């Protein structure tokens, strides 16, 4: 179903080449002044153009339909839409029957009995993260008022890896900007790698790391409502995400308990701290006050310009497919913005 | 909250040292004959004793309270309980104020304002996976009637790693037995490693891999109800889980799109197949008919007998803690049974 | 929250004088051809003009934003909007502080801390039943394809009462048209009564009766998901509804069990029938195959042109209020359309 | 489904003649001291014996299984059970195939494909209100700590009618005791009527009225989460309930808007008051601070000892049925206790 949230509710709609995409947000406090500058900045992040991005110059202009008077929320559901423009769908006709490898096409074909809007990926398009980003931007701003900050980080693209937020006792945790890495050098290497795969009609993926600072201990629920459960459920909603790990994640399985355990101590101000943060701020599904750290694996975008083997579900024959149009050769930087926004929404829901 | 499911509903209750643990299952088809032998076998798996397990000889005898007449379900909610026995909680008194590192203790202390039952981990105890295992055993059996089979696999313990279900075109996918690895040699190495950490008053973790075979294409939902979202939400409910990845997971970020993409083809019987299964049977949140493959990181059990630094929340002092009692030095094999059961429940929910 | 449904999901948004009202529907089968003629007819019913209605000539032109290609549903969420036009809100400024008696104003003022959009009732406006009607029209059509028909009936307006669907063994159950009563005479009496209250700057209410024919036995759930629970939850979502009763409803309390009980019998075709239908087709929360019959009390519209005593929450003084603008003197006929649509939605949800 | 609640969650289980009935409550604040005396008193009310009640001397001894240590809640789910005793089900065997009129039997037979436990009504038994009453008693106590009081009232039994809480400006609103009516005279008349129908092997129903005092203005939600929606959904979960109305309810349709409207005024302490309370404390789905008043129609218990016509679903023949065993000839007083408890639960959920 298309609805997220326990304490807040977010309903999403839209197809890449339909009339509009958008959503309804229920649960923003009445009297909240929307910071349109920050919303615009977040939308821009998700949409920014570079060597690795599609050239489709989608403006992503949103319109608020309800729930806001004079820039201030009323408490009623906030609905908004982003009209689709520039949607030449001519070159998509082949894709009604030829299934793009590693896209939702085939599963959707079966599920929706051939009626899914296949143009541009339809409802499965990464474009649907635009409403998520809009909504997340509002909640991110609300979190900041409570002293909670979300820092996205491109940890790796292909084999080029930045240093993790977990290293050096979290020294690099913080705002890393528009292309969020810890050095210009890493950025240049990543961009140059992206350019090389693009030139080769290929694509690449990467890992996005997130730190959430300022969440107090004691949030979350045992078992089915663990903080990891809620965050992971949200992250796997974002197209192309194939893995998530908290704290040391999979690497923690190489440690012994003595090495892995996060020992508590009182600091000079009698605040509870952990010496390490191998659990990424969550133990037993509940926050412990340390920064929440997780990493999300984003697969290489499946839309590539190399010719690929696949099937035609109408003719029931094997066939070859050569995609046309505009496609990002690396969606990781844009995914980082969607992940940032999604994190804001799920954290707000958890602490509400 | 303590409730799982969209189409089925499973409510869980209990604390390690309370009167009983158990649950209520709603959504089993009326007229289902329960296979108590299979249920018992699954319960035994979760509970089996070896070098790595606690010596607490909990019988885990369940009693069905409702929803079943003469071994056949009525369609009404099936409630069951497992009475706790042998719960000497004397040596737990210190733990009311001294927080075990990397346990839920501190987060629970804050969340529940000091009222949580701390004995044996209370509601956060791994023991609460017993009801999950009971319920999962029922659904696993129902899935098998539909031709869907779940195969758990201990992929690694510490640095000892078995070969993955993804290797050799999935040749090793199948039932691997009570201690599910692909060779006696690997099992011996793992057991010997577990014994060595136990002897060192330490603990270790590992990775559990799961293959689900027989799920047709077209299940799951776009966005917030993706199959990965649902499975991950469930898996992070199991204590000690810190990561999950589908198909190639984090490693897929090292491939290019051309390498990563799962090309479709028709086999000789005109069935749709994928040449690789890098996406683990799920694309765009929807199943594509290939085996669903995922891996779950289980951290080293935080209960170790080495002395550890931590805090006393009553005195607000730093202190040292030396645990007593019975604790597994490696919960991975038992977690594998809980993960198997939990997988059955979530897959049944998805296809219902 | 603004979301309805267990098996389908319907999210609603909008304020009377905002940019637009609308909703998102999730759960319409892919491949459903929308019957726009029937949708328009239902929208017209909810909107029709007569002596008793406001003169605000709102066109209620909807636009579908997603989920439909060439008039056929894709399976993705169907979002739609109705732009608000002709919304002169000048004469509403007083209502920011002066609370209209028996309107949501005061409760909303407290709940939304003064930020609610008070113009035209804002999110509480009866106008928000337009999206409900649009969505219900789609589901009504789908129900008819399954042989399930919904018949609304204006049972009474003020003290003018038509005969009930329960009388004469249900002989009058059926389609009663645009102003759904069983005779022209009753209609004339009702219209003339409405005209008289209108002339007196007053308003009146009435009772809407609904019959749902064609629902098989065996739908619904024991306890919290009883058919009555689901229908009543929906009906009380419609502004101005103050009561609901099933079958004989409150009157059944005047009967003995022997009189009240609905005896079963097999008809000549071995179909199960009830001799009476005092339970309105539902026993123990489950349908029994007889027509589902219920009645809904619609209070007199609280917007009247007589001067009324009330309070000013800004000055904290008692005051008098004389409303201006356009207001229906009787919303019962329009409510009947909203109730019809809402019934379609809830019945579809129950049988899905 | 068997789960209630938005902010709290209550899962219910059990069949009249199964091993046990009970439930799981999630959402009681940690550190809540349970008042067992008050719980017992409420359980006793639901269970009290008089001319009108069954003679089955069910003790209704509950046992708490989790979530409570030393009488204080831990914050974890509180599970409890009531073992069934004295369940001779011999005389129920006929009822596997002969459908009792106006009982759930036939709908359940179809829904559960013949597998429902028919003994004593199984999961549809009024006995399942015992867990509801237990849980409600806890929440009622919590509400009282917040200054919110729930007063149940037997407004009528058959044609014998007490005066309503709405009369005399609510003068009779208050605690009315074990058999909650406003005078001994009314009580005697009611008891004597109940005795007369019992002697005639028949049964009778009645109306239960409830006042909830102390709920502030501003609770509830527009549309699908209206206070009336939530309360009605809960009330129709209670077996035998066939109608609900708020404030003046159906009678309000006989008033004009001017008569019906509840005018606000400031009292001497500048508190907002209503002159009348025709809306029963709820307008637009939101509380306005006046007492919440509603009435619930309870049908005559369908279990009567007169011979009745009905069907045998095994033989597919019409037949006659003469019930044996113990059955209340009037469940209204016991229903009043269940309604009181259910009200506590739903109000607690709304204000949480």
């Amino acid at each position: 179903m298309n609805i997220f949230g326990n304490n807040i509710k977010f309903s999403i709609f839209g197809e890449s080449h339909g009339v509009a995409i958008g959503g309804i947000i229920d649960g923003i406090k009445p009297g909240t002044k929307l910071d349109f500058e920050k919303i615009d900045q977040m939308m821009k992040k998700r949409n920014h153009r570079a060597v690795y991005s599609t050239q489709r110059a989608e403006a992503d202009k949103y319109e608020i339909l309800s729930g806001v008077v004079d820039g201030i929320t009323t408490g009623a559901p906030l609905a908004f839409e982003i009209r689709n423009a520039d949607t030449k769908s001519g070159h998509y006709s082949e894709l009604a029957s030829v299934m793009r490898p590693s896209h939702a096409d085939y599963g959707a074909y079966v599920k929706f009995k051939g009626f899914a809007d296949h143009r541009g990926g339809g409802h499965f398009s990464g474009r649907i993260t635009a409403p998520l980003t809009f909504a997340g931007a509002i909640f991110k701003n609300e979190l900041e008022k409570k002293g909670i900050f979300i820092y996205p980080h491109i940890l790796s693209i292909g084999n080029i890896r930045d240093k993790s937020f977990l290293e050096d006792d979290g020294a690099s945790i913080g705002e890393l900007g528009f292309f969020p890495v810890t050095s210009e050098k890493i950025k240049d290497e990543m961009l140059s790698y992206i350019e090389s795969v693009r030139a080769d009609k290929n694509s690449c993926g990467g890992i996005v790391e997130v730190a959430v600072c300022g969440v107090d201990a004691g949030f979350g629920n045992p078992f089915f409502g663990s903080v990891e459960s809620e965050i992971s459920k949200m992250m796997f909603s974002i197209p192309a995400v194939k893995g998530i790990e908290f704290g040391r994640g999979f690497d923690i399985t190489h440690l012994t308990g003595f090495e892995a355990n996060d020992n508590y101590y009182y600091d000079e101000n009698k605040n509870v701290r952990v010496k390490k943060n191998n659990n990424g701020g969550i133990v037993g599904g509940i926050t412990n006050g340390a920064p929440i750290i997780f990493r999300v694996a984003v697969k290489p975008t499946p839309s590539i310009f190399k010719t690929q083997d696949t099937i035609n579900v109408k003719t029931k024959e094997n066939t070859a497919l050569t995609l046309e149009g505009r496609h990002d050769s690396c969606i990781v930087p844009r995914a980082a913005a969607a992940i940032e926004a999604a994190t804001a929404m799920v954290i707000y829901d958890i602490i509400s």
Side-chain angles (χ1 to χ4, degrees), chain A:
Chain A
M1 290 291 185
N2 67 321
I3 301 170
F4 165 81
N6 297 303
N7 298 307
I8 59 170
K9 294 283 176 191
F10 178 50
S11 312
I12 211 167
F13 70 85
E15 286 121 347
S16 179
H17 286 59
V19 175
I21 60 178
I24 309 178
I25 313 166
D26 203 354
I28 311 175
K29 293 228 171 341
T32 300
K33 192 170 164 44
L34 298 185
D35 187 328
F36 292 107
E37 203 173 314
K38 286 194 177 165
I39 294 170
D40 290 346
Q41 194 180 18
M42 189 86 111
M43 295 299 275
K44 209 169 135 197
K45 253 198 220 181
R46 199 206 66 91
N47 211 26
H48 71 298
R49 298 287 161 248
V51 285
Y52 50 85
S53 84
T54 72
Q55 270 82 43
R56 177 171 162 186
E58 194 77 40
D60 277 356
K61 291 281 290 181
Y62 54 83
E63 182 183 18
I64 292 173
L65 303 177
S66 71
V68 176
V69 172
D70 298 336
I72 292 172
T73 60
T74 62
L78 188 164
F80 64 98
E81 68 179 29
I82 300 165
R83 295 263 158 175
N84 287 320
D86 184 20
T87 52
K88 299 188 198 75
S89 45
H91 52 74
Y92 283 114
S93 61
E94 182 185 13
L95 302 180
S97 46
V98 177
M99 305 285 98
R100 292 171 300 167
S102 287
H103 267 285
D105 299 5
Y106 176 62
Y109 176 80
V110 175
K111 179 178 178 66
F112 296 122
K113 297 166 180 40
F115 293 104
D117 185 358
H118 62 277
R119 296 169 302 163
H123 186 51
F124 293 88
S125 168
R127 182 155 165 68
I128 311 305
T129 58
L132 185 65
T133 303
F134 172 85
I138 293 173
F139 288 112
K140 183 164 190 270
N141 208 27
E142 290 310 290
L143 287 173
E144 290 179 0
K145 292 180 191 167
K146 294 169 190 280
I148 296 172
F149 294 87
I150 295 167
Y151 303 119
H153 175 212
I154 298 176
L155 180 63
S156 68
I157 284 182
N159 291 309
I160 300 156
R161 189 175 176 107
D162 199 2
K163 66 177 174 182
S164 164
F165 277 163
L166 279 180
E167 296 175 48
D168 306 334
D169 288 329
S172 62
I173 294 176
E175 180 55 49
L176 296 173
F178 212 70
F179 189 104
V181 288
T182 65
S183 75
E184 281 297 308
K185 183 168 162 297
I186 284 283
K187 179 181 172 185
D188 291 345
E189 287 179 48
M190 287 179 173
L191 289 178
S192 133
Y193 176 65
I194 292 168
E195 173 56 26
S196 74
V197 296
R198 194 193 64 77
D200 190 34
K201 300 182 173 180
N202 211 333
S203 68
C204 60
I207 298 173
V208 175
E209 186 174 55
V210 178
V212 185
C213 297
V215 177
D216 285 338
F219 288 106
N221 284 293
F223 264 80
F224 303 125
S226 80
V227 172
E228 291 111 324
S229 288
E230 299 296 349
I231 292 177
S232 68
K233 184 178 197 304
M234 174 55 109
M235 290 302 140
F236 283 115
S237 303
I238 298 172
V241 169
K242 294 307 290 183
I244 188 167
E245 56 179 13
F246 292 84
R248 290 288 282 264
F250 280 88
D251 277 350
I252 207 169
T253 66
H254 299 124
L255 305 180
T256 65
F258 189 73
E259 293 162 331
N261 282 356
D262 294 329
N263 300 86
Y264 294 108
Y265 67 98
Y266 282 106
D267 68 11
E268 60 273 25
N269 302 314
K270 286 292 177 194
N271 291 316
V272 175
R273 303 278 181 211
V274 286
K275 288 187 190 169
K276 294 161 283 182
N277 189 12
N278 288 331
N279 283 281
I282 309 162
V283 270
I286 312 287
T287 56
N288 67 5
I292 298 171
I293 309 273
F294 61 91
R295 277 173 302 285
V296 172
V298 178
K299 73 177 181 183
T301 175
S303 294
I304 56 174
F305 295 109
K306 282 183 191 292
T307 299
Q308 298 179 87
D309 292 335
T310 190
I311 54 171
N312 181 319
V313 292
K314 297 280 165 59
T315 63
K316 297 229 168 204
E317 299 291 343
N318 295 322
T319 186
L321 171 69
T322 310
L323 285 173
E324 294 168 24
R326 296 155 309 192
H327 303 289
D328 292 345
S329 48
C330 182
I331 58 164
V332 177
R334 299 178 65 182
I339 288 167
E340 177 184 357
T343 301
M345 196 174 303
V346 69
I347 294 292
Y348 191 92
D349 192 47
I350 287 168
I351 68 165
S352 287

